[in-house]
Amino acid sequence: MKKTVIAGLLALFSLSATANETLVVGATPVPHAEILEFVKPELAKEGVDLKIKVFNDFIQPNQQLAEKNLDANYYQYRPFLDDYNKTRHTNLVPVVGVHIEPFWCLFDAI
C-alpha cells in the first residue's frame, strides 16, 4: 500500500505541475508530511520544487487552500472535506482519495 500511495503522489504532482514549477502543499506532520518529504527528491528530478507546509490542526490547511496560499493539501478524508465546505461555504474538491491510517484505541484496565 505504501508503494501505491507514493506512486500515486508522484503521478499526481508530476501531472499537476510543469517543469521548473513550485508546488506548495499543506500536510499534517505524521504521516503525510513525512510521505511528502520522501517523494520530494523524485519530484525534483521531474523539475517540481515541492514546498511542504506542516500544520498541527485540520482547519488551517483548508483555510490556506481556500485563500490560495497553498496549491493542495494532503491529509483529510471525504466526509471531513464535505463538512468543511458546508460549514465554511467553500468549494474545495478532492483530486484523489487519501489513505486512512488504522486507528488504534488503547484503554487501561480498571
Side-chain angles (χ1 to χ4, degrees), residues 105-110:
C105 190
L106 302 174
F107 296 95
D108 279 338
I110 298 179

Side-chain angles (χ1 to χ4, degrees), residues 3-107:
K3 288 181 182 179
T4 303
V5 169
I6 292 167
L9 283 172
L10 288 171
L12 174 65
F13 291 136
S14 293
L15 291 173
S16 303
T18 57
N20 302 315
E21 183 172 348
T22 299
L23 282 177
V24 182
V25 179
T28 53
V30 177
H32 300 104
E34 291 175 340
I35 293 169
L36 291 173
E37 287 290 348
F38 184 80
V39 300
K40 188 174 182 174
E42 291 300 316
L43 289 171
K45 291 177 188 175
E46 300 287 327
V48 177
D49 179 21
L50 179 62
K51 302 287 186 199
I52 304 162
K53 294 211 172 199
V54 179
F55 295 91
N56 289 313
D57 73 308
F58 300 114
I59 301 300
Q60 282 299 309
N62 282 341
Q63 184 176 339
Q64 294 297 309
L65 184 60
E67 293 173 1
K68 301 191 186 312
N69 296 322
L70 299 174
D71 297 310
N73 67 34
Y74 173 49
Y75 75 92
Q76 67 195 325
Y77 65 108
R78 187 62 186 258
F80 181 82
L81 176 62
D82 291 344
D83 184 64
Y84 183 88
N85 280 330
K86 182 178 177 183
T87 60
R88 307 282 176 144
H89 308 289
T90 57
N91 191 31
L92 303 176
V93 296
V95 176
V96 65
V98 174
H99 67 284
I100 299 174
E101 293 77 26
F103 180 74
W104 295 95
C105 190
L106 302 174
F107 296 95

